[in-house]
């Protein structure tokens, strides 16, 4: 048994790899931003006294958390198509990933909201702040700070999971790899390169979240203590 | 129960206030009034209802019956304008409850800017002023966790003062503090009293209550059991207050 690796044959396709990696990062970026918004809104919704809104948010979160991502992507892809709506594979992928990560974000944010001491909210109420102002000024950032590691891990996971978008022919990294390995018959080398690229993308995202954390949490930057 | 009717229109008045938590009756017909500039101390054992009575004034608890009027707001009514009420009432809690992610300056300027629409530069001047009032000007840019308990509580008082309330409520504000830090907070409250602030305070510091309060309300089992000037602490008329002040509560 001998292992012969021929990387040059695969590496000469580097522009395709790069384009795929860029698209993966782009997918992850949009799904992270939109998913963070959707998840935060759903977490707030789950905490409201309105049973209808709280129930709807719960159904959303539980449905998504208990179905496979690939099935969700197909549901969005074929669902939109059967409604006669035509969107690019990229748009469909962003939508499906957003819906998916939004549900996980909602659960993480809910834990963050619950970690805010009741006294903080009473103090804010005592200062005549409105509910919305309390969420915005008092709850949101400390809640995010408390769950930031879980939250950022979830977004990195989302970027890795976006590889299944190759199934609806979004031209992201895994889809590119699939073409290249069937062209070059160098599957092992191709996926080794892809794996390395995914590691690099993860590191890029983690570095980005670290920088964002410095911006969002000036107290932590100055004092270095947990909230 | 004796009642010292205040001469002017009271800032705070409770009449026959009822409140239960489940089957437990916490307030059983509580009545008292606080006139402008008056300092009222609510005292009593744990579970006597004094903190609940205080929290009802700012509607942190909803009452089951009776009437509460605070600065003209009918607090007992479901349609009370909570945000208008809370602009008139300042409240300071046992656990300070400063916002940990904001500097002391941001803690103070948040509500004036967000609620009253005050310009940021104006609010910052105000922050300096109220911090000077509690002797903490140098902590403007510190975060709450960098302050001692006593300093945090003084900053919390400053935060309340920045909203220029008509009445201040103090809910056992020194109970979480080490004895050596209690004094600095009490001194700030004394200064406020001297400046004519209307105040209602729940306190376990009997010596302090005796020195600062215009009137004492002693609560027992959800009722106002005895009320009168601070001198009732030295010459109580009911056996319950006699026992309460006699059990080592009256520190000087």
């Amino acid at each position: 048994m001998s292992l012969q690796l021929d990387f040059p044959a695969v590496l000469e396709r580097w522009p395709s790899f790069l384009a795929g990696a860029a698209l993966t990062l782009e997918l992850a970026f949009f799904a992270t931003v939109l998913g963070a918004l959707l998840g935060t809104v759903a977490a707030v919704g789950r905490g409201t006294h309105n049973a209808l809104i709280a129930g709807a948010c719960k159904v959303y979160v539980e449905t998504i958390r208990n179905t496979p991502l690939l099935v969700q992507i197909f549901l969005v892809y074929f669902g939109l198509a059967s409604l006669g709506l035509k969107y690019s594979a990229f748009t469909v992928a962003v939508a499906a990933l957003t819906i998916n990560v939004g549900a996980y974000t909602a659960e993480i944010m809910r834990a963050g909201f619950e970690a805010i001491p009741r006294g903080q909210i009473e103090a804010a109420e005592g200062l005549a702040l409105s509910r919305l102002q309390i969420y915005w000024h008092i709850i949101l950032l400390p809640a995010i700070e408390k769950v930031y590691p879980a939250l950022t891990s979830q977004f990195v996971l989302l970027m890795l999971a976006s590889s299944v978008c190759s199934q609806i022919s979004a031209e992201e990294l895994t889809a590119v790899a699939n073409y290249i390995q069937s062209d070059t018959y160098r599957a092992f080398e191709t996926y080794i390169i892809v794996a390395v690229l995914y590691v690099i993308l993860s590191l890029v995202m983690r570095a980005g979240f670290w920088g964002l954390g410095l911006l969002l949490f000036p107290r932590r930057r100055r004092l270095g203590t947990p909230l | 129960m004796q009642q010292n009717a205040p001469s002017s229109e009271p800032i705070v008045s409770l009449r026959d206030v009822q409140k239960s938590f489940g089957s437990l009756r916490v307030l059983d017909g509580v009545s008292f009034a606080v006139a402008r500039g008056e300092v009222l101390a609510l005292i009593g054992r744990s579970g006597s209802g004094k903190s609940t009575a205080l929290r009802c004034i700012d509607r942190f608890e909803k009452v089951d019956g009776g009437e509460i009027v605070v600065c003209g707001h009918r607090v007992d009514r479901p349609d009370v304008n909570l945000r208008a009420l809370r602009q008139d009432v300042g409240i300071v809690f046992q656990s300070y409850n400063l916002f940990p992610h904001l500097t002391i300056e941001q803690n103070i300027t948040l509500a004036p800017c967000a609620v009253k629409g005050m310009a940021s530069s104006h609010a910052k001047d105000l922050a300096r002023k109220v911090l000077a009032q509690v002797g903490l000007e140098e902590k403007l840019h510190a975060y709450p966790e960098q302050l001692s308990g006593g300093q945090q509580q003084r900053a919390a008082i400053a935060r309340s003062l920045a909203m220029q309330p008509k009445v201040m409520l103090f809910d056992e504000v020194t109970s979480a503090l080490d004895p050596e830090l209690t004094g600095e907070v009490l001194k700030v409250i004394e200064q406020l009293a001297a400046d004519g602030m209307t105040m209602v305070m729940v306190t376990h510091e009997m010596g302090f209550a005796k020195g600062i309060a215009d009137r004492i309300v002693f609560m027992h089992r959800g009722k106002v059991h005895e009320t009168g000037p601070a001198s009732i602490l030295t010459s109580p008329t009911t056996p319950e207050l006699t026992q309460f002040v006699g059990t080592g509560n009256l520190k000087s």
Side-chain angles (χ1 to χ4, degrees):
Chain A
M1 196 172 80
S2 71
L3 178 64
Q4 284 194 322
L5 292 175
D6 181 7
F7 279 106
V10 176
L11 276 174
E12 69 182 19
R13 310 288 287 266
W14 65 268
S16 302
F17 279 117
L18 213 58
L23 199 86
T24 289
L25 206 55
E26 220 178 309
L27 270 178
F29 175 80
F30 284 113
T32 295
V33 171
L34 298 174
L37 287 174
L38 177 65
T40 305
V41 169
V44 173
R46 251 191 113 162
T48 60
H49 295 299
N50 184 322
L52 203 68
I53 294 174
C57 293
K58 187 174 174 180
V59 168
Y60 158 61
V61 169
E62 292 310 320
T63 306
I64 297 303
R65 292 208 312 155
N66 291 294
T67 48
L69 173 59
L70 186 57
V71 171
Q72 293 162 15
I73 290 172
F74 282 147
L75 279 174
V76 175
Y77 187 68
F78 293 117
L80 288 173
S82 63
L83 289 172
L85 298 165
K86 288 195 117 170
Y87 290 103
S88 68
F90 179 82
T91 309
V92 171
V94 167
L97 291 174
T98 297
I99 291 167
N100 178 268
V101 81
Y104 290 95
T105 303
E107 278 303 273
I108 296 170
M109 285 303 293
R110 195 161 67 104
F113 289 160
E114 280 167 8
I116 304 298
R118 176 81 206 129
Q120 300 278 311
I121 295 158
E122 277 198 350
E125 286 171 348
L127 290 165
L129 287 133
S130 67
R131 282 237 59 77
L132 204 65
Q133 286 172 332
I134 292 174
Y135 262 113
W136 184 247
H137 294 289
I138 307 304
I139 298 180
L140 190 59
L141 277 176
I144 292 175
E145 186 172 342
K146 280 173 197 278
V147 298
Y148 200 60
L151 211 50
T152 53
S153 291
Q154 191 65 51
F155 294 134
V156 172
L157 274 176
L158 161 88
M159 184 274 291
L160 299 176
S162 72
S163 67
V164 300
C165 295
S166 58
Q167 295 297 308
I168 56 165
S169 54
E171 304 281 322
E172 47 70 61
L173 188 51
T174 302
V176 167
N178 294 344
Y179 296 137
I180 292 175
Q181 65 91 12
S182 64
D183 258 13
T184 59
Y185 301 105
R186 289 285 168 195
F188 192 35
E189 293 89 333
T190 304
Y191 287 112
I192 288 174
I193 289 165
V194 162
V196 169
L197 286 172
Y198 272 115
V199 169
I200 292 170
L201 288 182
S202 295
L203 294 176
V204 166
M205 279 185 80
R206 288 189 189 280
F209 284 125
W210 177 79
L212 183 65
L214 292 182
L215 276 180
L216 288 178
F217 315 126
R219 185 205 60 85
R220 197 187 195 94
R221 188 176 69 223
R222 248 176 71 186
L223 305 183
T225 52
L227 197 61
Chain B
M1 191 189 86
Q2 55 189 78
Q3 181 113 20
N4 291 358
S7 49
S8 63
E9 181 78 3
I11 297 265
V12 175
S13 87
L14 281 76
R15 229 174 54 203
D16 196 27
V17 169
Q18 314 276 340
K19 169 77 188 171
S20 299
F21 291 124
S23 61
L24 181 69
R25 180 161 274 207
V26 193
L27 299 180
D28 189 6
V30 169
S31 304
F32 60 79
V34 188
R36 186 180 305 277
E38 195 177 23
V39 177
L40 184 136
L42 281 169
I43 62 168
R45 282 193 184 79
S46 301
S48 60
K50 57 192 191 304
S51 265
T52 304
L54 187 88
R55 289 168 57 83
C56 285
I57 295 172
D58 211 7
R59 210 164 191 267
F60 280 115
E61 308 291 350
K62 286 177 198 159
V63 299
D64 302 330
E67 184 188 285
I68 303 182
V69 184
V70 179
C71 303
H73 306 283
R74 276 293 298 268
V75 180
D76 53 296
R77 289 198 179 146
D79 64 348
V80 63
N81 184 340
L82 267 185
R83 296 190 67 198
L85 167 74
R86 286 168 178 170
Q87 286 187 54
D88 288 336
V89 181
I91 184 162
V92 182
F93 303 90
Q94 181 179 339
S95 49
Y96 337 131
N97 297 340
L98 290 171
F99 307 127
H101 62 301
L102 302 178
T103 63
I104 299 304
E105 182 180 55
Q106 291 166 332
N107 263 277
I108 295 172
T109 56
L110 174 62
C113 291
V115 176
K116 292 183 166 176
M118 191 181 281
S120 165
S121 60
H122 187 180
K124 284 179 180 176
D125 290 342
L126 180 64
R128 250 173 227 110
K129 201 186 109 202
V130 291
L131 274 180
Q133 241 176 305
V134 301
L136 284 177
E137 304 102 304
E138 78 283 2
K139 298 296 183 188
L140 199 61
H141 300 296
Y143 284 97
E145 71 190 83
Q146 297 175 291
L147 272 57
S148 71
Q151 290 173 330
Q152 287 193 46
Q153 192 59 291
R154 281 147 66 199
I157 293 171
R159 180 176 67 179
S160 260
L161 287 176
M163 286 297 276
Q164 288 153 335
K166 296 182 179 133
V167 54
M168 291 273 284
L169 310 178
F170 294 92
D171 191 3
E172 297 191 31
V173 293
T174 57
S175 297
L177 295 173
D178 294 336
E180 66 264 32
L181 297 177
T182 306
E184 64 185 58
V185 173
L186 297 184
K187 233 162 70 188
V188 165
I189 299 174
E190 267 167 17
Q191 188 53 50
L192 284 177
D195 293 345
M197 177 62 82
T198 309
M199 301 194 276
V200 183
M201 60 179 72
V202 169
T203 185
H204 287 293
E205 301 281 335
M206 287 308 125
F208 176 67
K210 195 171 147 239
I212 193 179
D214 299 309
R215 213 145 45 84
I216 305 283
V217 167
F218 171 64
M219 290 193 61
H220 184 67
R221 293 187 178 161
K223 287 181 159 70
V224 175
H225 200 73
E226 188 170 343
T227 178
S231 60
I232 65 166
L233 290 177
T234 36
S235 46
T237 58
T238 61
E240 287 79 8
L241 182 55
T242 309
Q243 202 199 357
F244 181 70
V245 296
T247 50
N249 279 304
L250 191 53
K251 295 180 280 185
S252 56

